[in-house]
């Protein structure tokens, strides 16, 4: 199966599940393509679209369904993920992308790290992470705040508007997690530390 067939299959399978957040997924695809054109035009469109359509593929599954997928593909949990349901959907979506659709590893990793980010993210990972946060259907105040910040940085011709916006989004996410007394995953912390260490 070539990459266009794979994208068609993914979309068909996704629409068949009638996910409630289809507008969000389409918003991520559109925003990610825009970020790619502006900042990383060398990345093929199909990688962006495959990652965008896969990223929340398992979002509506319950904890047991995530665990079953991860067990099936021998993907270990780290002791924190199992008690943090929001961290499970990116991992189970990775498993399906890698082992069922057999997508390229760089695409699968963009799915895996779309919620937390990680140290030294690839351009594709940054695009999916940021598009997930700022796509046009997001109305939550932290999302609109990061979107406005990103757009302002682009307008001002900042050298690294995506990285600066990602750092800001990590700050806001970490702040909320602390406020709610929730677990901060090490990848979330390391994503932020790395951007600061590298001077963005
Ligand atoms: O699936 P989406 O809603 O489109 O977006 P997402 O996959 O980025 O998930 C966002 C949620 O994930 C948001 O409620 C914050 C949460 N999150 C991100 N990093 C961490 C986290 N939750 C915990 N507990 N720990 C993290 O490090
Ligand atoms: Fe998600
Ligand atoms: Fe999402």
């Amino acid at each position: 199966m070539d990459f266009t067939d794979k994208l068609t299959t993914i979309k068909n399978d996704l629409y068949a599940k009638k996910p409630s957040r289809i507008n969000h997924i389409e918003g991520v695809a559109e925003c990610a393509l825009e970020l790619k054109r502006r900042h990383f035009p060398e990345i093929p469109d199909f990688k962006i679209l495959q990652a965008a359509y896969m990223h929340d593929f398992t979002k509506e599954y319950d904890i047991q369904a995530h665990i079953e997928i991860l067990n099936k593909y021998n993907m270990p949990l780290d002791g924190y993920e199992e008690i943090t349901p929001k961290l499970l959907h990116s991992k189970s979506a990775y498993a399906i992308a890698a082992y069922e659709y057999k997508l390229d590893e760089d695409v699968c990793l963009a799915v895996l790290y779309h919620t937390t980010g990680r140290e030294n993210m690839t351009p594709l990972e940054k695009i999916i992470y940021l598009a997930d946060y700022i796509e046009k259907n997001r109305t939550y105040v932290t999302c609109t705040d990061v979107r406005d910040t990103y757009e302002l940085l682009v307008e001002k011709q900042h050298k690294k508007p995506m990285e600066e916006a990602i750092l800001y989004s990590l700050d806001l996410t970490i702040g909320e997690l602390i406020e709610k007394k929730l677990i901060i995953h090490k990848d979330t912390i390391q994503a932020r530390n790395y951007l600061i260490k590298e001077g963005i």
Side-chain angles (χ1 to χ4, degrees):
M1 211 193 284
D2 74 9
F3 56 77
T4 14
D5 294 336
K6 278 187 183 172
L7 183 61
T8 308
T9 309
I10 291 167
K11 278 182 161 181
N12 287 342
D13 294 350
L14 186 69
Y15 288 115
K17 295 194 300 176
K18 300 195 195 313
S20 59
R21 299 161 87 250
I22 198 69
N23 288 345
H24 164 65
I25 291 167
E26 286 173 348
V28 171
E30 184 188 318
C31 178
L33 280 178
E34 227 171 277
L35 292 173
K36 165 225 128 107
R37 283 189 202 113
R38 189 176 282 149
H39 304 290
F40 299 104
E42 66 284 3
I43 300 176
D45 281 8
F46 83 87
K47 293 202 183 229
I48 301 279
L49 291 170
Q50 286 181 347
Y53 280 94
M54 280 306 306
H55 88 282
D56 278 341
F57 198 83
T58 60
K59 182 77 184 181
E60 283 146 5
Y61 294 9
D62 61 22
I63 295 184
Q64 202 42 46
H66 291 301
I67 306 266
E68 264 169 37
I69 293 168
L70 298 175
N71 284 341
K72 179 171 173 192
Y73 296 110
N74 295 317
M75 289 182 65
L77 291 165
D78 67 6
Y80 292 102
E81 288 157 343
E82 39 281 73
I83 53 167
T84 314
K86 279 195 177 152
L87 298 177
L88 288 173
H89 80 285
S90 22
K91 221 159 166 165
S92 55
Y94 167 91
I96 290 175
Y99 305 119
E100 295 187 13
Y101 295 111
K102 300 189 170 34
L103 305 183
D104 296 344
E105 184 63 4
D106 54 351
V107 173
C108 299
L109 290 174
V111 173
L112 181 60
Y113 294 111
H114 85 264
T115 304
T116 55
R118 68 159 159 168
E119 196 171 48
N120 195 10
M121 292 166 84
T122 65
L124 182 59
E125 288 164 16
K126 288 178 186 171
I127 287 173
I128 298 299
Y129 177 90
L130 186 60
D132 189 28
Y133 219 100
I134 67 170
E135 64 88 8
K136 67 178 185 213
N137 301 301
R138 291 283 207 199
T139 51
Y140 194 54
V141 61
T142 52
C143 297
T144 56
D145 203 3
V146 174
R147 187 193 305 142
D148 293 347
T149 302
Y150 165 74
E151 283 166 5
L152 197 68
L153 290 165
V154 170
E155 214 176 286
K156 286 189 173 166
Q157 301 188 334
H158 186 281
K159 266 198 183 140
K160 300 240 167 172
M162 274 189 61
E163 288 74 4
E164 193 72 58
I166 291 172
L167 177 59
Y168 185 42
S169 73
L170 287 162
D171 284 350
L172 295 178
T173 297
I174 290 167
E176 285 202 346
L177 294 173
I178 289 171
E179 235 173 72
K180 294 180 185 157
K181 273 207 172 174
L182 292 172
I183 283 165
I184 305 172
H185 194 271
K186 71 167 177 33
D187 290 331
T188 306
I189 300 283
Q190 286 174 356
R192 179 175 184 275
N193 284 350
Y194 187 85
L195 289 169
I196 292 174
K197 180 166 76 115
E198 293 298 297
I200 296 183

